[in-house]
Amino acid sequence: MKTSKIIEETESYIRTVFQQEGSGHDWWHIHRVRQLALSIAAKEGADMFIVEMASLLHDLDDWKLIENNGQKSGKALNWLIALEIDSTISKQIMDVIEEVSFKGAGVETRATSLESKAVQDADRLDAIGAIGIARTFAYGGHKNRLIYDPLTDPVEHQSFEEYRLGNGPTINHFYEKLLLLKDRMNTETARNMAEGRHQFMSLFLDEFFNEWNSIC
Ligand code: NI
């Protein structure tokens, strides 16, 4: 199968799966990550096919979206097998997907290839800024979390297990993850893009607490 056909088929599969996803991981998140990852990849000289495929498949087996105690469901790999992708390339795509996910403030998530760096950066860019704010509250609502609770302090999760089971209010998530992302970008391209998005989140938090403190 031609690579353009493979991408087309994968896109339509993913569009169907993530069409009505209400936790901020809908099809348009996948699409934005793909666009961001491809533009980072082009600037950084990464393999475009691997980056595009990994971006499209990156949330298919994500632990956040699957209620099975963090176990992988293997859908991405099965899809690559069904498309008869060369096993070396398939392995590279799977390695990128494996490395994308943020697993807690104190847990190191290494991106070992240029492709992995591009997709990880793209996913992190979509988690910050105005879009990041919107997605964070969508995810909090999906998990029945409070918007904010002044009696619950943010936690710097030291293990993936601790992070996975954390159920603090959504505002805490800015301190536990989102505000840390700017300094955890892998590429210069993403670091530059993260700057404005980071500033916007800080502005949002300032205003949030101004309003909160003037009435509570
Ligand atoms: Ni994602």
Side-chain angles (χ1 to χ4, degrees):
M1 208 186 290
K2 276 169 67 181
T3 55
S4 58
K5 181 77 182 147
I6 291 171
I7 290 186
E8 206 179 292
E9 298 260 320
T10 306
E11 176 177 331
S12 92
Y13 169 49
I14 294 297
R15 254 180 198 275
T16 315
V17 176
F18 290 94
Q19 209 169 20
Q20 285 300 318
E21 213 285 333
S23 80
H25 298 81
D26 55 273
W27 156 250
W28 294 109
H29 160 65
I30 312 288
H31 179 66
R32 290 189 304 268
V33 168
R34 183 216 346 221
Q35 301 305 101
L36 284 165
L38 285 175
S39 79
I40 295 167
K43 289 203 180 80
E44 305 281 336
D47 182 292
M48 303 296 270
F49 177 69
I50 288 169
V51 165
E52 189 159 14
M53 285 299 284
S55 299
L56 287 169
L57 297 169
H58 86 275
D59 274 338
L60 199 54
D61 297 311
D62 194 289
W63 61 270
K64 290 189 297 302
L65 311 174
I66 299 161
E67 307 293 334
N68 60 353
N69 302 320
Q71 295 302 304
K72 294 278 173 182
S73 62
K75 282 193 205 160
L77 184 60
N78 289 343
W79 177 252
L80 294 172
I81 291 168
L83 287 174
E84 297 178 347
I85 308 266
D86 172 272
S87 64
T88 315
I89 294 171
S90 171
K91 165 93 171 58
Q92 283 174 283
I93 296 169
M94 289 307 297
D95 286 347
V96 174
I97 296 170
E98 188 59 43
E99 291 175 350
V100 171
S101 202
F102 184 89
K103 298 182 179 74
V107 186
E108 200 191 350
T109 31
R110 226 177 295 133
T112 54
S113 64
L114 202 48
E115 291 71 29
S116 194
K117 289 178 178 163
V119 181
Q120 195 180 73
D121 280 359
D123 199 38
R124 290 177 175 186
L125 280 169
D126 205 57
I128 62 175
I131 288 176
I133 294 170
R135 292 186 59 225
T136 303
F137 286 102
Y139 187 70
H142 173 76
K143 292 293 231 179
N144 292 318
R145 290 178 182 166
L146 291 184
I147 289 174
Y148 176 53
D149 175 11
L151 305 176
T152 310
D153 287 330
V155 187
E156 195 179 299
H157 301 109
Q158 295 305 324
S159 73
F160 175 47
E161 196 55 14
E162 207 189 311
Y163 178 68
R164 188 173 73 80
L165 298 170
N167 210 20
T170 298
I171 285 286
N172 290 13
H173 193 62
F174 287 84
Y175 300 94
E176 292 164 353
K177 173 185 174 186
L178 307 185
L179 294 169
L180 310 174
L181 292 180
K182 164 177 85 69
D183 295 325
R184 296 191 182 196
M185 295 295 164
N186 302 293
T187 64
E188 196 57 40
T189 312
R191 244 188 307 281
N192 293 333
M193 293 168 89
E195 207 53 55
R197 291 177 185 231
H198 181 88
Q199 281 171 20
F200 186 79
M201 285 195 299
S202 299
L203 206 66
F204 166 79
L205 289 168
D206 287 348
E207 176 61 15
F208 184 94
F209 286 112
N210 280 340
E211 293 178 15
W212 187 283
N213 292 326
S214 68
I215 43 176
C216 291

